[in-house]
């Protein structure tokens, strides 16, 4: 038995050593670039860091990325406006941690999370965000199981492919840079501004279905409010943009969601779900992604809300 | 808890340590540990069905001793049929009720009648087809006087529920496994190392080959109307490789794991795709099920003895039942029927036992005749798998119809694989390498059992590490084991 255990242990060590050697990134320049959608995180943070407070920081999922014209908000408030939104698949916890990392004294943070957004988000999305924007490592949590999977599978697959294709001179396709979901689609404030496909699929209008459940976001939002109060920041919440027909079909659930939010969160809510409804034709490829015309309409509404709060002057 | 999951990779060492370091001095305690571990393993799937498993175990344990104790043949028969009736009753309700209700309703609707059958919304308990057959073999063997009932319920329960074989076999026989459970096990270094090698090979088959082939097979079968015949042929080939690597990979992990606990399970696969005729294929594919049906159904029906019509009848019965065992769908029946049609000429010409030896034994390459026979058998098998994989008979015929059209001459393009052409080429190369490994190792219990035995240790280890790294590298979307649904 001792021989078996010793041999097994030695084999495990040898295997781990080989995997360690194989899963290193030996050709960083050849690694898949950061030109993808998430690559915009770097630019958003760069923009935020290069402006002094007070600033307006919008955070949320893709309803924010696709849903505001930050430059117009900037013009109307006179405050540098940062759109931190990328995707809801990062989860609200990650999104709020990004806001914590970015916000400073006197900043105004406007949160717009999608309905029943997951707190934890997708591990793959967070890992991709971490790869592109390493400071996110401070709030990136990994279970031992995920660590093992990354070490033995994910990193091995990615880096060994780069190593082999470089050594064997195999040409690999780069990331497409001329599509909506790419880094180059964002303007300097962080809004998605690329021209969209004129005939997107509206399949989501048939398949979307919202189910009532206890709102998982309230505690996180309240924790964030406490953090903002302690650090001299103002926080507001606005509901995400949403298609009229889907609201009609899910009105009961969304009304219940709103009631839970009103009674649960300490953050000041500036609007109602009904105020964020737009015609179905103003949506691109999901229930939260507005086309440019919709984005302008929503921006008008947001500026009006900010005016009421005496944040916007024009 | 899948065999190819981290949970299983943690579960086995814990049970192994308790088994060999804590309970090794007391056989009852060791068996009790195996039973608790097996029930825990099963409960990880769905704890509610654990009660069904325990009930089935109790039933066969009880009826087994009643059969043995009964003084008259009528008494023995009563207890036997009680066990068979209840066991098959459960199987019928959970696995076949919806099929029969639906098919009967469809039939009546053809005659303009409406049947009031409601389908029931039940989940098929994992492993029910396997543990039911374990129990049935036990009562059948007692009835026939081959064995005497066991006295210890724990020993019997381990026989039914031993975790490596619980959810997808091999379907064990009481005569084979029970004596191993009843006697003290000693740790055997060679057996354990062999077990680990078999687990490694099983994981490679499942993760690197089967799961990747499944990705393309699913894509092609699910959208077969969009593809030319040549791609559909590739789809059928992908499924052929997938189902073999999936199920034999599972069996390898099961057999290897059992070896770590000092147990030898029945061999389930013996390189079936190198068979020279269908009869040989069925002696090499899912051996534990084929031999179960042979012993408990085919031979009691008269087997290959008797008149012409009796032999034909028996052949069709066994293949149709075998097909139906796989699932409640006409596609499985069609698959069974097709195999019966393949098998029948061999039986009727008394050539069904002409290829008993390993092909090209002691030689590197087969003769041309052997190669052509293997190619023909493989092609027939691929064709039959189309029925097995299809969602319905209609889909199978539509799939086959498209294969036998002009589009079979179309050269498959990269676009057919939605931008995954590099990946598909890699999987094809890997599959070919795998088949070569299988060919080279066909005289062993599993392909890499004897590989590198004469090499220096570093070279041998490098070989095993390469297999492990390839497995990690080709890990894709984790797929359920195909046979778990049966």
């Amino acid at each position: 038995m001792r021989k078996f255990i010793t041999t097994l242990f030695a084999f495990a060590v040898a295997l781990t050593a080989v995997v360690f050697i194989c899963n290193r990134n030996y050709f960083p320049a050849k690694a898949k670039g950061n030109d993808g959608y998430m690559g915009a995180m770097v630019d958003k943070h760069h923009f935020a860091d290069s402006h002094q407070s007070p600033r307006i920081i919008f955070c949320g999922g893709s309803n924010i990325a696709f849903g505001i014209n930050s430059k117009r908000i900037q013009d109307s408030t006179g405050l540098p406006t940062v759109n931190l939104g990328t995707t809801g698949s990062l989860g609200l916890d990650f999104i709020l941690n990004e806001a914590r990392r970015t916000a400073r004294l006197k900043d105004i943070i406007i949160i717009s999370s999608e309905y029943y957004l997951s707190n934890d988000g997708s591990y793959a999305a967070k890992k991709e965000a971490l790869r592109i924007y390493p400071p996110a490592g401070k709030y990136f949590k990994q279970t031992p199981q995920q660590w093992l999977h990354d070490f033995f599978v994910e990193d091995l697959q990615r880096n060994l492919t780069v190593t082999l294709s470089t050594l064997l001179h195999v040409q690999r396709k780069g990331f497409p840079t001329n599509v909506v979901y790419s880094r180059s689609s964002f303007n300097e404030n962080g809004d998605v501004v690329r021209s969209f496909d004129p005939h997107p699929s509206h399949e989501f209008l048939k398949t979307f279905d919202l189910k009532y459940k206890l709102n998982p976001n309230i505690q996180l939002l309240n924790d964030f409010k406490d953090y903002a109060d302690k650090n001299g920041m103002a926080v507001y919440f606005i509901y995400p943009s949403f298609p009229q027909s889907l609201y009609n079909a899910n009105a009961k659930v969304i009304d219940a969601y709103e009631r839970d939010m009103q009674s649960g969160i300490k953050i000041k809510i500036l609007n109602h779900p009904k105020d964020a409804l737009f015609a179905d034709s103003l949506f691109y490829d999901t229930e939260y992604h507005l086309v440019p015309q919709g984005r302008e309409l929503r921006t008008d509404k947001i500026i009006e809300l900010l005016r009421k709060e005496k944040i916007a002057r024009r | 808890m899948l065999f190819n999951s981290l949970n299983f990779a943690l579960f086995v060492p814990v049970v192994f340590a308790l088994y060999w370091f804590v309970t090794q001095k007391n056989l009852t305690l060791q068996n009790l540990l195996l039973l608790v571990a097996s029930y825990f393993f099963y409960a990880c799937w769905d704890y509610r069905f654990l009660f069904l498993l325990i009930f089935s175990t109790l039933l066969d344990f009880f009826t087994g001793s009643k059969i043995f104790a009964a003084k008259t043949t009528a008494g023995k028969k009563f207890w036997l049929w009680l066990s068979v009736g209840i066991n098959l009753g459960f199987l019928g309700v959970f696995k076949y009720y919806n099929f029969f209700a639906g098919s009967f309703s469809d039939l009546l609707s053809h005659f303009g009648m409406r049947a009031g059958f409601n389908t029931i919304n039940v989940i098929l308990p994992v492993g029910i087809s396997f543990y039911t057959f374990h129990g049935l073999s036990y009562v059948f063997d007692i009835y026939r006087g081959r064995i005497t009932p066991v006295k210890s319920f724990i020993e019997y329960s381990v026989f039914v529920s031993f975790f490596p074989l619980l959810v997808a076999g091999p379907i064990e026989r009481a005569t084979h496994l029970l004596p191993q459970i009843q006697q003290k096990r000693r740790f055997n270094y060679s057996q354990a190392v062999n077990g680990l090698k078999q687990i490694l090979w099983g994981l490679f088959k499942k993760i690197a080959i089967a799961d990747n082939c499944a990705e393309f097979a699913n894509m092609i079968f699910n959208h077969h109307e969009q593809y030319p015949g040549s791609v559909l042929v590739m789809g059928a080939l992908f499924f052929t490789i997938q189902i073999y690597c999936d199920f034999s990979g599972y069996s390898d992990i099961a057999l290897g794991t059992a070896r770590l606990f000092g147990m030898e399970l029945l061999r389930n696969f013996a390189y079936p795709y190198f068979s020279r005729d269908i009869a040989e294929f069925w002696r090499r594919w899912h051996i534990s099920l084929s031999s179960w049906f042979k012993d408990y159904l085919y031979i009691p029906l008269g087997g290959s003895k008797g008149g012409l019509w009796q032999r034909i009848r028996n052949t069709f019965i066994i293949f149709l039942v075998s097909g139906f065992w796989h699932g409640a769908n006409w596609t499985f029946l069609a698959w069974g029927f097709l195999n019966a049609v393949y098998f029948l000429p061999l039986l009727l010409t008394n050539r069904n036992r002409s290829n008993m030896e390993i092909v090209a034994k002691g030689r590197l390459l087969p003769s041309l005749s052997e190669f052509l026979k293997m190619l023909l058998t493989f092609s027939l098998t691929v064709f039959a798998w189309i029925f097995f994989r299809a969602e319905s008979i209609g889909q199978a015929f539509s799939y086959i119809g498209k294969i036998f059209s002009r589009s079979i001459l179309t050269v498959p393009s990269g676009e057919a694989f939605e931008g995954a052409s590099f990946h598909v080429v890699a999987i094809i190369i890997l599959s070919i390498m795998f088949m070569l490994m299988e060919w080279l190792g066909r005289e062993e219990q599993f392909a890499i059992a004897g590989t590198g035995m004469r090499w220096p240790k570093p070279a041998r280890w490098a070989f095993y590490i390469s297999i492990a790294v390839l497995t990690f590298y080709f890990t894709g979307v984790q797929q359920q084991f195909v046979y778990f649904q049966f």
Side-chain angles (χ1 to χ4, degrees):
Chain A
M1 177 61 90
R2 181 176 290 177
K3 186 182 170 191
F4 178 75
I5 301 285
T6 315
T7 310
L8 189 59
F9 182 73
F11 183 79
V13 170
L15 176 62
T16 307
V18 171
V19 171
F20 181 81
I21 291 165
C22 291
N23 75 9
R24 300 295 92 190
N25 183 3
Y26 296 108
F27 302 97
K30 300 271 184 183
K32 206 170 193 177
N34 297 341
D35 302 330
Y37 183 78
M38 297 286 247
M41 278 179 76
V42 177
D43 305 326
K44 287 167 187 260
H45 283 286
H46 177 73
F47 180 80
D49 294 344
S50 59
H51 288 82
Q52 294 205 331
S53 300
R55 301 163 299 174
I56 296 180
I57 299 168
F58 279 90
C59 59
S62 53
N63 90 83
I64 283 294
F66 282 76
I68 59 170
N69 183 334
S70 301
K71 282 192 190 299
R72 280 185 57 211
I73 295 171
Q74 192 166 286
D75 291 345
S76 66
T77 58
L79 299 174
T81 301
V82 188
N83 182 340
L84 276 189
T86 46
T87 169
S89 58
L90 290 169
L92 188 62
D93 189 38
F94 191 99
I95 288 168
L96 293 179
N97 276 320
E98 277 241 288
R100 277 191 185 93
R101 196 191 133 65
T102 310
R104 296 190 290 258
L105 182 70
K106 292 185 182 173
D107 278 343
I108 298 162
I109 301 135
I110 300 175
I111 302 168
S112 179
S113 56
E114 287 78 1
Y115 294 115
Y116 297 115
L117 181 63
S118 152
N119 281 346
D120 296 331
S122 136
Y123 176 73
K126 288 191 286 188
K127 189 150 185 278
E128 179 65 358
L130 171 70
R131 187 179 74 79
I132 286 161
Y133 186 64
K138 285 189 179 160
Y139 41 86
F140 176 78
K141 295 176 202 127
Q142 213 177 14
T143 63
Q145 191 166 350
Q146 284 164 337
W147 184 88
L148 281 171
H149 186 264
D150 287 350
F151 181 83
F152 284 102
V153 179
E154 286 271 329
D155 296 347
L156 179 81
Q157 289 180 341
R158 190 176 54 246
N159 293 329
L160 189 58
T161 303
V162 174
T163 307
L164 292 176
S165 58
T166 307
L167 294 176
L168 300 172
H169 303 290
V170 176
Q171 287 290 326
R172 291 168 63 233
K173 276 186 187 170
F175 198 93
T177 54
N178 58 347
V179 294
V180 172
Y181 293 94
S182 67
R183 184 174 179 170
S184 61
S185 293
F186 291 82
N187 65 11
E188 64 169 351
N189 296 65
D191 308 333
V192 175
V193 290
R194 184 182 290 280
S195 300
F196 295 154
D197 174 1
H199 304 294
S201 160
H202 273 183
E203 194 64 24
F204 63 92
L205 291 170
K206 294 177 199 157
T207 54
F208 184 84
D209 184 30
L210 207 56
K211 294 245 174 353
Y212 177 76
K213 56 186 169 184
L214 281 177
N215 191 326
N217 307 144
I218 289 173
Q219 187 60 48
L220 282 183
L221 290 167
N222 285 340
D223 291 347
F224 187 80
K225 167 71 174 157
D226 293 342
Y227 171 85
D229 287 349
K230 274 183 203 159
N231 290 280
M233 305 157 187
V235 194
Y236 300 96
F237 184 89
I238 57 172
Y239 285 97
S241 47
F242 203 63
Q244 182 70 55
S245 69
L246 288 184
Y247 174 79
N248 297 342
N250 298 278
K252 277 186 184 170
V253 181
I254 293 175
D255 290 349
Y257 177 88
E258 186 186 13
R259 279 197 298 278
D260 289 348
M261 288 290 277
Q262 279 174 336
S263 61
I265 68 167
K266 296 188 266 184
I267 298 172
K268 186 171 185 181
I269 303 174
L270 299 184
N271 63 353
H272 300 279
K274 282 181 185 169
D275 301 329
L277 300 180
F278 298 91
D280 294 359
S281 59
L282 294 177
F283 285 82
Y284 179 51
D285 57 348
T286 83
E287 60 279 3
Y288 294 117
H289 295 179
L290 285 166
V291 296
Q293 193 191 346
R295 182 174 68 221
E296 297 308 323
L297 288 174
R298 189 185 186 199
T299 302
D300 290 343
K301 290 185 176 190
I302 291 173
I303 290 172
E304 188 56 36
L305 293 172
L306 296 179
R307 200 172 285 138
K308 280 185 192 164
E309 291 299 313
K310 304 206 176 0
I311 299 168
R313 290 166 294 187
R314 283 174 277 168
Chain B
M1 198 190 301
L2 289 171
F3 277 3
N4 52 337
S5 68
L6 188 65
N7 290 344
F8 189 72
L10 294 172
F11 169 78
V12 171
V14 169
V15 181
F16 179 88
L18 292 171
Y19 185 83
W20 290 115
F21 295 118
V22 179
T23 61
Q24 87 283 10
K25 285 184 181 162
N26 186 325
L27 182 64
T28 308
L29 212 56
Q30 214 174 26
N31 284 333
L32 189 63
L33 170 74
L34 281 186
L35 184 62
V36 172
S38 300
Y39 282 170
F40 172 78
F41 174 80
Y42 193 77
C44 288
W45 293 97
D46 194 328
Y47 70 90
R48 292 166 301 176
F49 292 130
L50 190 56
F51 299 106
L52 189 66
L53 170 65
I54 294 170
F55 175 79
S56 172
T57 310
L58 273 167
L59 172 77
D60 296 326
F61 181 73
F62 176 74
T63 51
S65 37
K66 284 291 180 189
I67 291 167
F68 187 72
K71 299 275 187 278
T72 61
T73 309
K76 285 180 190 295
K77 273 191 178 165
F78 169 78
W79 290 110
L80 174 73
W81 286 109
L82 183 72
S83 169
V84 172
I86 296 175
N87 272 307
L88 295 185
F90 278 129
L91 209 53
V93 169
F94 283 103
K95 195 165 172 176
Y96 299 110
Y97 173 80
N98 285 344
F99 170 76
F100 282 119
S103 298
F104 196 60
S105 289
D106 288 348
L107 182 71
L108 290 184
S109 68
H110 275 294
F111 297 101
M113 291 183 272
R114 286 186 65 191
F117 292 113
N118 292 322
T119 53
I120 49 175
N121 188 18
V122 287
I123 313 164
L124 182 67
V126 169
I128 189 169
S129 306
F130 294 90
Y131 68 70
T132 300
F133 274 41
H134 283 152
L136 286 177
S137 81
Y138 174 74
V139 290
F140 281 139
D141 283 350
I142 293 174
Y143 177 77
R144 290 174 176 181
R146 283 184 186 165
I147 54 167
T148 55
V150 280
K151 294 194 174 77
S152 161
F153 180 68
I154 294 173
E155 286 171 0
Y156 177 71
S157 304
V158 173
F159 160 69
V160 176
S161 320
F162 185 36
F163 70 88
L165 53 77
L166 181 55
V167 290
I171 300 168
E172 271 295 338
R173 304 298 181 81
T175 46
H176 180 251
L177 186 58
L178 263 173
Q180 297 184 63
I181 294 168
Q182 288 170 318
Q183 72 187 23
K184 192 165 170 57
R185 275 87 65 181
R186 288 184 197 287
F187 181 79
N188 180 315
Y189 176 81
S190 305
Q191 186 185 34
V193 168
N194 219 22
L196 283 180
K197 282 199 283 186
Q198 195 162 6
I199 292 172
L200 176 67
W201 188 238
L203 287 171
F204 172 74
K205 280 171 161 178
K206 167 64 181 159
I207 297 171
I209 312 272
D211 286 357
N212 283 297
C213 286
E215 212 177 302
F216 296 115
N218 291 344
M219 188 173 88
I220 295 168
F221 270 88
N222 293 344
H223 307 283
H224 72 281
E225 63 288 342
Q226 298 171 7
Y227 294 108
S230 52
V231 174
L232 298 191
V233 171
M234 286 177 74
L237 285 168
F238 277 128
F239 182 69
T240 302
I241 303 288
Q242 179 206 339
I243 190 142
Y244 171 60
C245 289
D246 189 285
F247 193 24
S248 72
Y250 166 86
S251 297
D252 281 335
I253 301 168
L255 267 72
T257 307
R259 285 195 171 125
L260 292 177
F261 295 91
M263 309 254 205
E264 291 291 333
L265 301 182
L266 287 173
R267 193 180 183 195
N268 228 6
F269 290 87
Y271 312 100
Y273 290 154
F274 301 138
S275 301
R276 286 150 291 181
D277 59 49
I278 285 294
E280 186 184 10
F281 175 83
W282 280 104
R283 282 193 296 275
R284 295 177 174 278
W285 178 274
H286 202 174
I287 300 166
S288 65
L289 180 73
S290 310
S291 62
W292 197 100
F293 278 128
K294 190 183 86 183
D295 289 352
Y296 300 114
L297 184 65
Y298 187 65
I299 290 173
L301 284 170
S304 55
K305 292 174 185 148
L308 177 71
W309 288 112
Q310 194 180 343
R311 287 154 71 193
I312 294 172
R313 181 201 69 183
N314 293 350
T315 300
F316 275 97
I317 287 175
I318 193 169
F319 278 106
L320 289 174
V321 170
S322 174
F324 204 49
W325 176 91
H326 284 86
N329 195 330
W330 290 103
T331 52
F332 295 119
L333 279 170
W335 172 74
F337 179 83
L338 199 53
N339 275 286
V341 171
Y342 292 163
F343 182 82
L344 208 56
L346 297 169
L347 181 76
L348 297 178
T349 54
N350 285 325
R351 284 189 291 143
N352 57 318
R353 300 186 73 77
S354 53
N355 290 311
M356 303 298 286
E357 275 291 308
I358 295 165
V359 62
K361 195 173 182 185
R363 286 180 282 136
L364 180 64
L365 296 173
S367 65
L368 182 64
S369 151
E370 284 169 334
F371 177 75
L372 291 175
K373 282 178 184 170
M374 282 194 292
L375 191 64
L376 177 65
T377 310
F378 183 75
S379 307
L380 291 173
T381 311
V382 173
F383 185 76
W385 285 131
I386 294 172
F387 286 91
F388 193 94
R389 172 60 183 79
E391 301 292 328
S392 64
I393 295 284
Q395 194 202 18
F397 279 116
S398 151
Y399 194 100
I400 292 163
K402 204 151 183 207
I403 285 180
F404 292 105
S405 69
R406 274 189 188 175
S407 65
I408 197 169
L409 301 173
T410 312
V411 178
S413 68
E415 285 170 17
F417 298 99
E418 294 172 6
S421 49
F422 178 77
H423 188 50
V424 82
V425 170
I427 298 308
I428 290 170
I429 292 171
L430 196 68
S431 301
I432 292 169
M433 280 168 54
F434 160 76
M435 290 304 279
L436 284 175
M437 287 293 301
E438 289 267 297
W439 174 260
L440 294 174
R442 70 194 181 285
E443 292 181 28
E444 304 287 345
Q445 281 278 314
F446 55 98
I448 62 164
T451 311
M453 294 313 284
R454 291 179 194 159
W455 300 352
K457 197 172 182 178
R460 201 163 62 239
W461 277 35
F463 173 72
Y464 300 141
I465 287 172
S466 306
I467 292 175
V469 170
L470 276 173
T471 306
F472 293 138
Y473 186 70
F474 282 97
T475 298
V477 181
Q478 194 182 49
Q479 312 267 351
Q480 174 80 289
F481 284 94
V482 176
Y483 267 68
F484 280 14
Q485 64 185 297
F486 306 141

